[in-house]
Amino acid sequence: MIEAPIVLDVEIRNWVVIPILIVLFIVSALKLNFSRILQLKSNRDQDVEKTMQMQTINRVRRLTSFYNRIPQKSFFMRKAFLCGTPGATNPKNRGLLSSIAPAQEDSNPMNMMFANSMFTDPSGMTDMLKGNVVHLVPQITMMSWVNHFFSGFVACKLPFFPLTIRFKAFLQRGIELSSLDVSYVSSLSWYFLCWFGSEGINNILLSDNFVSPDTQLFNSQVEPGPPAQQNPIHKIYDGERENIEMIRYDSIMNNIENRFLDNLSKKTSLDLNTLNNLNNSNNNNNNNNNTLTKIQKTKTKSSSSSSSSTNTKRVLYQKPSLK
Amino acid sequence: MAEMLMLSSSDSIELNKFENKIRESRSFNWVLVRDTLRFLRKSKARKSNLVSKYGLKLVNEYISKLDAQESYDIIEQVLVSLLECGDDENANKLFNILKSKFGRESVRVQRLQAMIHESNFQLKDALDIYNSILEKYPADQMSYKRQVSIFKCQGNLTKAIQVLNTYLQIFMCDIEAWLELSSLHITFLSYSTALICLEEVILNAPINYIFYIKYAETLYSLGGIDNYNMAIQYYTHSLELNSPTEIDVLGHPPTYLPAIYGIIMSIFSLSDENVQIKESQLKLMEWAQNHLILITNKYSPDKLTFVKHFIDSTDIFNKE
Amino acid sequence: MSISITTEALGKIHLHSFKYPSSSVNGILIGKADKNSILVKDCIPLFHTQTLLPMFEVAMIQIEKYCRDNNIDMVGFYHSNQSLSIDLEPEPISKKISERLYNELNNMCSLMVTKIDDTCTSGLVLLERAGSDNWVKNRKALIQ
């Protein structure tokens, strides 16, 4: 069956196809500038405070888990820094964890509202909102504009090889004709095609200051922001302060020498053979004879119990006798 | 130096594998190079020569094969290593690519611009850029760190310490920064301040034996009976973490030699102070001496005379 | 006082500092010294991280033995700052070590690595003692 080609009115090209293109371009340029203005105004100070709080919590948690690895003096110094000296009235001496007063937080009803809701970060909320406004609103307006004025007719014909029937829904939105060739495009579909394809063109035309959506990632900081916190920060601080105050200091360095030698003697029972082999092979070496006598000398001086041993290494890895 | 400390042993083994593969392959294997660069970005290891040599070729000839987003990361990475190697010409070329793509406003582009200034010794311009970035984004870690290195380069160490202090007030869990601050304090010989920084490092990386050795060495440098005692404890703990029982897994000399030397020196210094040395410490000393000779014998027998001389001159058993 | 240095030692010093461009490096010079001349025959590179006492003392004890065995003397100390700016003072630890060596050796020199250019072809500058714990650069002293 041969289809007679449909002749499209020139007016359609002049008043539909080209205007959609131009309007799309103008809108994306506007969108760009608009989003930049909004971005400039977004408040970054909040970020610093936020990171600082997160890092403080992190640091305090690390202190509560690994306090036994630092000397007692240093631990108490940190405790004083974080929890303050007991009974201090001067707010300066109250410590970092008491620095955020709950009253100050509550005085701001906006903060309260956000603190109690899922989103504690109001700046994140507004950022999201702004992004939506900038991207979504023009999108919807444009679509309804195109749909309202230019629906119901074929806008242009694509000069390509015939596409399969599957593309019909995509290319002929708003036209329900089953027999129409797929290469004819409705106005709404033309709008979508232009919209998807416009990024490259914008890139060239607005190249100096155009930021395409996927490259905004590059624009932003490398480090993702701290995750949203469920509880208000001063409550976490209070909890952590209690944790620190509950710690009864005990160092893992106590009696570490004996513990180390003990463990060594347990663990090396396996390695002992290799060590002995090494020793034997080195016995031919002149140098080593010296070594052995030397070791033996020190041995007899330090502990008299092991005088009979011929293999000094073996003596070494015996469990030290504790008296 | 800090970066090398942070590299875990499994990472460094993998890195060596990558490096050998690249050097051995006869033709240019762009997939391999890409994977290597990816690994380097992840592990944050610094291999300027490798990256600048092979990365430049990758960027120049195979850029179209790369994923769009990743390709810009790679360009940035290669650009930084080019600057480190002093290849300003190529670095500028790459910079122009990024600038035309992302524009002047991008923070990362600005940072790179500042780094190019730095490599041309226009430190003032670089500082200005970092300052302006920090005004806009006060939480930009990179800019802080670059500022510190600029001040260090100018020899203005007090200023560097100042900047680091402000930085650490915000990012108090940054090990590298604490480490850097400690080394700056060590340069000024203010060991007790350095100790505080190192404690913070230990709290953040409690299973890294190197930091315990560092802490002990600083304690020793500070001197005094209590500090010697504590140094012994920290050396011993680092031995616990980096156990001498796992002999010769990698085939190179063990990494705990400083700890053994440190134990001997600290106990020797203790005995110099006329302190009664505990029995456990005597045992430790004995073990350390024997182990030291054992290791020397195994890995460098020709140095045995020196080591023996060292043990003789620090011997506390014969002195009595 | 005239100081001469062999190519081997000079090369070792510079290669050491080139290998660790971003850290301060130091080491001990060995050779022959008499009253008004010093010949640096070789050097023993020590640190390319921060110099802390324990390992330095270990190194000194061993170097002492090495010198005695090979019939050679410790004649000085070389070091390079973290950054190579021309007018930076030596780091405090370097001054301290120089001072200590000065007190223990009868004749010694303290060298500092700088930029190699026309005014300073060897890339080394001599430090002179100016009071205790204070060492300043002497640009005029020639090192052959």
Side-chain angles (χ1 to χ4, degrees):
Chain A
M1 182 177 103
I2 301 160
E3 266 183 49
I6 304 173
V7 181
L8 297 178
D9 197 342
V10 185
E11 298 283 294
I12 291 182
R13 186 194 63 200
N14 288 351
W15 293 103
V16 178
V17 178
I18 293 172
I20 287 179
L21 249 177
I22 292 170
V23 168
L24 247 175
F25 175 74
I26 292 171
V27 166
S28 63
L30 277 177
K31 216 157 69 176
L32 178 74
N33 289 321
F34 194 59
S35 71
R36 194 180 296 148
I37 291 166
L38 284 181
Q39 222 166 37
L40 273 182
K41 285 188 178 163
S42 85
N43 188 3
R44 294 278 167 175
D45 282 347
Q46 202 102 24
D47 267 13
V48 178
E49 210 173 296
K50 198 94 196 136
T51 7
M52 207 169 144
Q53 285 164 354
M54 293 309 297
Q55 295 256 333
T56 312
I57 293 169
N58 223 331
R59 185 185 183 189
V60 173
R61 288 198 178 141
R62 284 194 178 276
L63 183 66
T64 38
S65 352
F66 303 118
Y67 66 93
N68 53 7
R69 274 148 176 95
I70 60 174
Q72 187 165 19
K73 213 175 73 191
S74 319
F75 171 69
F76 282 121
M77 199 179 73
R78 280 173 173 72
K79 190 173 164 183
F81 171 66
L82 293 167
C83 309
T85 42
T89 45
N90 185 354
K92 235 185 167 179
N93 293 342
R94 288 225 326 258
L96 187 63
L97 288 182
S98 323
S99 60
I100 295 187
Q104 174 204 339
E105 190 106 328
D106 293 349
S107 66
N108 189 342
M110 190 69 179
N111 262 356
M112 265 295 269
M113 197 188 86
F114 281 116
N116 292 335
S117 74
M118 274 282 282
F119 308 95
T120 40
D121 187 0
S123 75
M125 259 295 259
T126 41
D127 268 357
M128 226 164 66
L129 217 77
K130 278 176 201 163
N132 281 350
V133 167
V134 168
H135 288 289
L136 224 69
V137 169
Q139 192 67 26
I140 294 168
T141 354
M142 292 276 291
M143 245 172 74
S144 55
W145 171 67
V146 170
N147 211 13
H148 187 260
F149 284 100
F150 311 121
S151 63
F153 54 88
V154 172
C156 62
K157 184 179 190 290
L158 290 182
F160 299 130
F161 49 89
L163 292 159
T164 51
I165 204 83
R166 281 167 198 279
F167 285 89
K168 227 174 150 66
F170 176 61
L171 289 176
Q172 296 180 359
R173 215 149 240 257
I175 299 173
E176 312 294 332
L177 275 180
S178 55
S179 60
L180 191 63
D181 193 81
V182 188
S183 57
Y184 290 101
V185 180
S186 78
S187 58
L188 193 61
S189 299
W190 172 245
Y191 163 71
F192 277 120
L193 284 181
C194 292
W195 179 53
F196 288 131
S198 65
E199 195 187 293
I201 299 169
N202 288 342
N203 209 349
I204 297 165
L205 293 178
L206 308 169
S207 65
D208 198 31
N209 42 21
F210 179 74
V211 183
S212 70
D214 63 313
T215 54
Q216 268 170 358
L217 240 153
F218 198 84
N219 208 341
S220 64
Q221 311 287 302
V222 200
E223 305 86 14
Q229 202 61 47
Q230 301 291 320
N231 289 329
I233 212 88
H234 64 90
K235 277 201 184 139
I236 305 175
Y237 273 21
D238 281 349
E240 294 298 336
R241 195 178 59 218
E242 273 162 30
N243 280 347
I244 292 185
E245 273 161 1
M246 275 200 315
I247 291 173
R248 291 188 59 193
Y249 181 81
D250 178 36
S251 172
I252 59 163
M253 303 296 166
N254 288 339
N255 206 12
I256 189 166
E257 293 96 345
N258 281 328
R259 192 177 71 215
F260 171 66
L261 292 171
D262 272 8
N263 282 340
L264 210 59
S265 66
K266 274 182 218 150
K267 270 197 219 159
T268 35
S269 54
L270 235 170
D271 277 345
L272 202 59
N273 288 326
T274 46
L275 284 183
N276 279 339
N277 287 343
L278 192 85
N279 231 357
N280 291 338
S281 67
N282 278 335
N283 268 345
N284 312 334
N285 197 334
N286 282 345
N287 271 348
N288 207 52
N289 287 337
N290 263 333
T291 330
L292 282 179
T293 49
K294 165 86 184 69
I295 295 168
Q296 239 144 12
K297 202 170 64 190
T298 59
K299 196 72 222 166
T300 44
K301 284 241 168 187
S302 58
S303 65
S304 51
S305 60
S306 58
S307 53
S308 63
S309 168
T310 43
N311 192 334
T312 48
K313 294 293 178 299
R314 194 177 290 280
V315 175
L316 256 182
Y317 292 101
Q318 272 174 3
K319 205 171 170 181
S321 53
L322 299 170
K323 281 152 217 160
Chain B
M1 177 210 67
E3 294 130 68
M4 287 319 287
L5 288 180
M6 310 302 297
L7 212 59
S8 70
S9 59
S10 63
D11 269 4
S12 63
I13 290 170
E14 193 154 335
L15 185 61
N16 276 338
K17 255 192 231 157
F18 271 122
E19 216 177 326
N20 289 334
K21 261 199 232 157
I22 285 194
R23 291 201 199 284
E24 276 163 17
S25 62
R26 260 180 239 135
S27 60
F28 189 78
N29 184 349
W30 72 271
V31 180
L32 181 65
V33 174
R34 185 197 61 191
D35 291 345
T36 311
L37 293 183
R38 223 179 252 174
F39 175 76
L40 285 173
R41 278 203 305 274
K42 208 179 80 209
S43 65
K44 294 191 175 156
R46 188 177 188 176
K47 286 271 170 199
S48 312
N49 272 325
L50 190 79
V51 173
S52 58
K53 187 174 165 199
Y54 294 96
L56 187 64
K57 195 162 179 194
L58 180 75
V59 170
N60 280 341
E61 293 168 28
Y62 296 86
I63 192 79
S64 53
K65 298 197 176 174
L66 297 167
D67 176 54
Q69 179 57 40
E70 194 188 9
S71 72
Y72 295 112
D73 285 343
I74 288 179
I75 291 180
E76 188 188 26
Q77 183 187 12
V78 174
L79 171 49
V80 172
S81 3
L82 282 173
L83 288 178
E84 275 165 4
C85 297
D87 188 351
D88 288 347
E89 194 184 321
N90 280 316
N92 273 323
K93 264 187 219 159
L94 294 187
F95 177 70
N96 286 333
I97 298 178
L98 288 180
K99 198 168 85 181
S100 60
K101 172 80 185 168
F102 300 103
R104 269 176 192 289
E105 294 296 307
S106 161
V107 180
R108 276 162 89 169
V109 169
Q110 281 182 22
R111 255 192 237 148
L112 291 173
Q113 172 77 63
M115 281 162 99
I116 289 175
H117 281 319
E118 271 183 72
S119 86
N120 294 333
F121 283 100
Q122 297 159 330
L123 300 180
K124 179 110 197 344
D125 297 341
L127 266 183
D128 288 344
I129 293 182
Y130 290 132
N131 275 331
S132 72
I133 293 177
L134 282 177
E135 246 166 51
K136 249 197 257 169
Y137 305 92
D140 192 45
Q141 303 192 351
M142 214 10 215
S143 302
Y144 272 115
K145 290 186 177 177
R146 293 309 313 162
Q147 279 194 332
V148 172
S149 68
I150 289 179
F151 287 128
K152 249 174 79 177
C153 178
Q154 288 174 335
N156 192 350
L157 296 188
T158 26
K159 187 86 193 165
I161 288 177
Q162 240 173 45
V163 175
L164 259 181
N165 276 332
T166 33
Y167 170 80
L168 281 169
Q169 264 175 8
I170 307 170
F171 302 96
M172 37 187 112
C173 290
D174 190 335
I175 303 181
E176 278 174 42
W178 282 113
L179 215 56
E180 186 65 42
L181 188 60
S182 81
S183 76
L184 285 175
H185 280 303
I186 287 174
T187 315
F188 278 118
L189 307 181
S190 49
Y191 295 119
S192 45
T193 334
L195 281 176
I196 296 174
C197 306
L198 285 173
E199 276 158 16
E200 213 57 50
V201 173
I202 286 178
L203 284 177
N204 277 294
I207 55 163
N208 194 333
Y209 67 93
I210 292 174
F211 299 140
Y212 289 94
I213 291 182
K214 206 145 189 136
Y215 190 75
E217 283 184 340
T218 317
L219 274 172
Y220 181 97
S221 305
L222 199 57
I225 295 166
D226 286 347
N227 288 330
Y228 289 139
N229 268 322
M230 223 142 60
I232 297 169
Q233 292 174 339
Y234 278 90
Y235 276 130
T236 318
H237 188 60
S238 102
L239 282 177
E240 274 187 327
L241 294 171
N242 182 24
S243 177
T245 51
E246 293 154 15
I247 287 178
D248 206 13
V249 189
L250 299 170
H252 53 68
T255 46
Y256 47 79
L257 269 179
I260 289 182
Y261 273 119
I263 285 174
I264 295 176
M265 282 312 292
S266 323
I267 296 180
F268 176 64
S269 306
L270 262 186
S271 78
D272 251 8
E273 304 260 350
N274 289 323
V275 188
Q276 184 62 41
I277 292 168
K278 281 186 275 177
E279 198 196 346
S280 60
Q281 287 173 339
L282 284 176
K283 275 190 194 127
L284 193 67
M285 179 75 158
E286 203 180 301
W287 173 83
Q289 287 179 341
N290 290 322
H291 207 80
L292 183 58
I293 288 178
L294 206 72
I295 292 167
T296 321
N297 226 332
K298 189 167 177 194
Y299 293 100
S300 48
D302 52 319
K303 304 277 188 331
L304 202 62
T305 46
F306 307 126
V307 174
K308 265 195 259 164
H309 171 77
F310 166 73
I311 287 178
D312 282 343
S313 48
T314 54
D315 201 6
I316 51 169
F317 299 114
N318 290 332
K319 225 170 68 174
E320 287 155 17
Chain C
M1 189 172 72
S2 74
I3 300 169
S4 26
I5 185 166
T6 58
T7 333
E8 195 191 2
L10 186 72
K12 249 188 182 176
I13 293 172
H14 280 301
L15 289 177
H16 188 204
S17 63
F18 284 145
K19 188 168 181 191
Y20 301 95
S22 58
S23 34
S24 54
V25 300
N26 58 25
I28 295 291
L29 304 170
I30 52 179
K32 284 279 162 222
D34 47 48
K35 250 199 177 138
N36 40 22
S37 72
I38 293 177
L39 170 64
V40 180
K41 283 186 179 160
D42 200 354
C43 70
I44 300 175
L46 291 185
F47 293 96
H48 32 259
T49 52
Q50 297 118 33
T51 311
L52 288 164
L53 272 188
M55 287 319 274
F56 181 74
E57 281 171 7
V58 171
M60 289 313 279
I61 293 170
Q62 296 192 0
I63 291 173
E64 219 179 290
K65 172 74 174 165
Y66 175 85
C67 290
R68 216 179 309 148
D69 283 5
N70 293 287
N71 200 18
I72 204 165
D73 294 326
M74 268 188 252
V75 295
F77 177 71
Y78 77 87
H79 61 94
S80 133
N81 278 354
Q82 257 186 346
S83 68
L84 211 58
S85 283
I86 207 86
D87 38 70
L88 286 186
E89 273 204 27
E91 285 168 8
I93 186 79
S94 311
K95 289 186 187 172
K96 263 239 152 74
I97 292 172
S98 303
E99 187 69 21
R100 201 156 144 183
L101 288 176
Y102 178 84
N103 290 335
E104 275 175 29
L105 305 173
N106 36 18
N107 197 3
M108 61 81 72
C109 59
S110 181
L111 303 178
M112 190 166 156
V113 180
T114 55
K115 277 184 192 148
I116 304 175
D117 53 22
D118 292 339
T119 53
C120 183
T121 44
S122 65
L124 293 171
V125 176
L126 182 69
L127 294 184
E128 256 180 9
R129 191 168 181 274
S132 83
D133 260 358
N134 194 14
W135 293 70
V136 289
K137 282 183 193 172
N138 179 355
R139 300 208 161 271
K140 285 179 196 122
L142 272 182
I143 299 158
Q144 289 138 8

